[in-house]
Amino acid sequence: MAIAMANTDDLFKTLRKRGLRKSVARAVADAEGGGKKAGALARDVLADLDKAGDAIRTRVTNRDIRQRAGKKAATTRKRNATKRSEAAKRGAKTRKARSRAR
C-alpha cells in the first residue's frame, strides 16, 4: 500500500510540475488506484487535455490563417467605419438643410 501511495504522490507532483491544476492532478493521481468513476474522470481529463493541445497546436502552427483572419477583420472594421462616416455626413447635410428651411 505504501508503494501505491508513493506512486500516486509522484504522479501528482509530476502533473503539478507540468502545470496541471491541483484539483485535476489530485483526481488523476487518485484515479491511478482504480475504480469505475476514477477511470472515467481520468479519461475526461485526458480528453480535455487533448482538446487544449489541439487548440494550442492550431494557434501556433497556423499563423497564416490567423493573419488572414486579422486582415479580413481590419478590412471589415474599415468598411463599417466608412459606412458610419457617410451616414453621419448625410445626417449633417439633412439637419443643415432643415435648419435653413425654418
Side-chain angles (χ1 to χ4, degrees):
M1 187 67 173
I3 294 173
M5 186 59 127
N7 289 340
T8 301
D9 287 340
D10 289 343
L11 179 59
F12 174 76
K13 288 177 184 175
T14 302
L15 293 173
R16 287 291 290 150
K17 283 181 185 175
R18 297 287 179 186
L20 221 57
R21 288 180 178 239
K22 189 182 286 188
S23 60
V24 176
R26 175 59 58 206
V28 171
D30 290 344
E32 186 182 33
K36 198 171 194 176
K37 287 186 180 180
L41 176 67
R43 281 190 295 278
D44 288 345
V45 169
L46 285 173
D48 289 343
L49 290 174
D50 284 341
K51 287 178 188 174
D54 290 342
I56 292 168
R57 233 174 263 111
T58 300
R59 285 180 172 263
V60 172
T61 59
N62 294 336
R63 283 266 184 232
D64 57 331
I65 292 172
R66 289 186 54 74
Q67 191 173 20
R68 276 187 282 155
K71 286 182 181 179
K72 182 180 175 185
T75 304
T76 301
R77 285 192 300 270
K78 187 174 181 181
R79 183 174 51 247
N80 289 342
T82 303
K83 275 198 249 180
R84 277 194 309 275
S85 176
E86 292 299 322
K89 287 176 186 175
R90 282 194 310 273
K93 188 175 177 182
T94 301
R95 285 190 300 276
K96 185 176 182 180
R98 287 195 176 181
S99 68
R100 283 185 187 167
R102 289 183 186 180

